[in-house]
Amino acid sequence: LLYERHGEAAAVVQLKDLEVPKLGDCDVHIKMLAAPINPADINMIQGTYPLLSPLPAVGGNEGVGEVLEVGRRVAALQPGDWVIPANAGLGTWRTRGVFPEEMLLKVPSDIPVLCAATLSVNPCTAFRLLADFESLAPGDSIIQNAANSGVGQAVIQIARASGIRTINVVRDRPDLPKLVERLMALGADHVVTEDMLRKPEMKDIFKSIPRPRLALNCVGGKSTTEMLRHLQPKGTMVTYGGMAKQPVMVPVSAFIFRDTRLRGFWMTQWRKDHAQDQESVAAMMDALCQLIRRGQLTAPACTEVPLRDYRAALEASMKPFVSSKQILLF
């Protein structure tokens, strides 16, 4: 799926037949199995993302493929192995591709294909958010908005597996009870709407669990300010998205009297910073695959779409209140 200019995804992305490049000595020929449509993919096509591929570009930053053939100097991969992109910008919305070995990470092929296809962005982001900013112990709690996003669902499950309680904030919507039920089934301790953050009932939550030391913000605007009220003194809020397209507003008192820390996180940057630190990358992937194997981490709610229906999938991925990720199958 190729785009030659930036613009609205459904208008500029086209399905094109291209020749598969020749296999070099250090290259790997892969057949893509499945690839999701993520918000960052759409932003890259629109030209609004901080990381843009040179045009013309193939869409998609995430997915899983099967190795068909390897160049004669490729040591770590062989035909039949499953691989995912090592970095953003690979262009995963394609049936076949030839890539240098270092652009791919091997993943076990005994995990469900949808888990593998959605592994490299959201679960990795969730893992780092929980691991890198506060040293959380079993019994501690965190609060997050956009709890029904791909990252939000992964945070709930990884936290649950580590004994960390989650307070999950979602936007009010027509099918709210259904969403609450789904998040609780994933292991959420509490699910509240943005309006409830301002209500006295929040105090009842903190009768049974401690106030959070970590807040995860993917929205911005009012939602952030309301979440901050509930953080422990010296707590940390990490912003990793800005779905409301509004600035993060912090009362001065949060800094002066509660010494709140504000941080930011971008998975793409983490991968760049750890490009030479394969141990950290391998440890993270291993921990996530173990959780998947134990049934403690599942793929987000997905809608599987054949490649030829890509336009409908792109349009569906832009709709508000959609809790299901569109996954292209090849």
Side-chain angles (χ1 to χ4, degrees):
L1 291 176
L2 205 69
Y3 56 100
E4 291 170 343
R5 60 188 172 88
H6 293 126
E8 281 315 306
V12 299
V13 172
Q14 294 177 312
L15 187 55
K16 293 231 164 141
D17 281 331
L18 302 174
E19 286 285 306
V20 176
K22 222 163 79 71
L23 189 75
D25 286 352
C26 301
D27 289 343
V28 180
H29 179 190
I30 68 169
K31 169 178 81 168
M32 287 305 295
L33 302 173
I37 299 176
N38 289 319
D41 304 330
I42 301 290
N43 295 150
M44 280 174 83
I45 295 164
Q46 290 166 336
T48 59
Y49 202 63
L51 175 89
L52 297 177
S53 302
L55 298 173
V58 176
N61 289 291
E62 188 179 35
V64 63
E66 183 185 332
V67 175
L68 294 176
E69 198 185 350
V70 299
R72 61 192 180 89
R73 292 176 54 193
V74 172
L77 293 171
Q78 57 188 37
D81 285 346
W82 279 14
V83 289
I84 62 173
N87 296 298
L90 193 71
T92 54
W93 300 349
R94 61 173 92 215
T95 52
R96 300 282 175 94
V98 171
F99 304 104
E101 180 183 16
E102 70 268 13
M103 291 176 75
L104 303 167
L105 280 179
K106 183 177 169 180
V107 292
S109 54
D110 64 347
I111 60 174
V113 71
L114 293 183
C115 288
T118 55
L119 182 60
S120 64
V121 178
N122 295 333
C124 290
T125 301
F127 186 90
R128 300 264 57 104
L129 289 171
L130 290 168
D132 293 353
F133 296 94
E134 287 280 347
S135 29
L136 298 168
D140 284 345
S141 80
I142 65 126
I143 187 167
Q144 64 165 346
N145 56 21
N148 58 313
S149 66
V151 171
Q153 293 176 53
V155 163
I156 290 170
Q157 295 174 84
I158 296 168
R160 166 50 65 101
S162 318
I164 294 157
R165 316 285 193 78
T166 58
I167 301 161
N168 300 281
V169 186
V170 296
R171 285 182 298 175
D172 202 358
R173 63 194 61 215
D175 61 345
L176 184 66
K178 216 160 84 185
L179 176 62
V180 171
E181 194 182 317
R182 202 156 63 74
L183 297 182
M184 297 298 270
L186 288 179
D189 291 282
H190 298 277
V191 182
V192 298
T193 62
E194 292 184 342
D195 298 340
M196 279 173 71
L197 286 174
R198 285 186 290 281
K199 302 243 169 90
E201 291 93 296
M202 285 300 289
K203 288 201 179 77
D204 296 339
I205 289 179
F206 300 121
K207 284 176 186 164
S208 60
I209 64 174
R211 282 186 177 271
R213 293 190 7 224
L214 181 66
L216 306 177
N217 167 46
C218 179
V219 178
K222 213 161 60 175
S223 169
T224 314
T225 318
E226 296 302 339
M227 270 206 314
L228 269 179
R229 287 169 193 264
H230 301 296
L231 262 190
Q232 275 187 34
K234 294 192 185 323
T236 304
M237 184 170 79
V238 186
T239 293
Y240 68 95
M243 283 155 59
K245 296 187 169 55
Q246 290 165 354
V248 169
M249 309 287 273
V250 182
V252 171
S253 59
F255 285 125
I256 299 174
F257 304 119
R258 300 187 26 240
D259 192 12
T260 303
R261 275 173 291 216
L262 296 193
R263 300 284 305 274
F265 182 77
W266 186 30
M267 192 66 218
T268 301
Q269 188 62 49
W270 187 93
R271 287 192 191 284
K272 275 187 197 147
D273 296 345
H274 292 79
Q276 302 311 312
D277 177 12
Q278 282 313 303
E279 269 177 44
S280 292
V281 177
M284 169 174 71
M285 297 316 265
D286 193 45
L288 291 169
C289 289
Q290 293 287 2
L291 289 173
I292 291 167
R293 283 198 194 95
R294 291 203 294 262
Q296 292 176 306
L297 178 61
T298 56
C302 292
T303 303
E304 299 173 42
V305 183
L307 182 62
R308 64 175 182 274
D309 297 336
Y310 73 92
R311 255 201 191 95
L314 287 169
E315 281 163 6
S317 72
M318 309 279 288
K319 289 189 180 129
F321 299 125
V322 172
S323 296
S324 184
K325 195 176 278 295
Q326 304 291 309
I327 305 260
L328 298 168
L329 298 182
F330 303 99

